Amino acid sequence: MSEEVRDTVFIGKKPLMAYVTSALIQLATLPSVHIKARGLSIGRAVDVAQIISRKTDEGYSVGKILIGSESLESQDGKIRNVSTIEIEIRKQESSGQEA
């Protein structure tokens, strides 16, 4: 088994704070985490990023945001385009001593 760095939180249907907690645990040891979602979960991904960057006192900020779409085959066999988002959350650089 290879040790793989897990720096991504995939958003689904769990409670919002489950994803916030997962991202914060990863941010404790990593410089940045990517929050990924598609379809109806995109709004929840934005909420997770906002909670981490605005409501915590740890000094996290939103980095790059990538949006796109994927073509997926639905259960009835039709090809559908589904929107995607990837939001980077990173630790803010400390500027040294404050005056």
Side-chain angles (χ1 to χ4, degrees):
M1 272 177 29
S2 65
E3 289 189 28
E4 186 177 320
V5 176
R6 301 198 50 121
D7 66 346
T8 303
V9 176
F10 293 98
I11 305 299
K13 297 184 181 200
K14 292 181 184 176
L16 188 67
M17 292 309 290
Y19 300 111
V20 172
T21 303
S22 177
L24 288 173
I25 289 169
Q26 290 182 20
L27 282 166
T29 58
L30 299 172
S32 68
V33 170
H34 295 95
I35 299 169
K36 291 185 178 183
R38 63 183 180 196
L40 297 175
S41 297
I42 289 175
R44 179 168 284 161
V46 173
D47 291 343
V48 169
Q50 290 298 299
I51 288 171
I52 294 170
S53 66
R54 292 185 178 181
K55 303 294 184 190
T56 61
D57 295 330
E58 303 298 319
Y60 300 115
S61 64
V62 175
K64 293 180 183 177
I65 300 173
L66 303 172
I67 58 172
S69 63
E70 295 178 1
S71 295
L72 299 175
E73 185 175 343
S74 63
Q75 292 178 346
D76 60 1
K78 294 182 181 177
I79 300 296
R80 305 213 188 272
N81 289 326
V82 179
S83 299
T84 62
I85 191 166
E86 179 178 343
I87 305 168
E88 178 188 31
I89 302 293
R90 60 180 180 229
K91 294 180 184 176
Q92 290 182 346
E93 312 253 337
S94 59
S95 59
Q97 296 179 340
E98 294 184 23

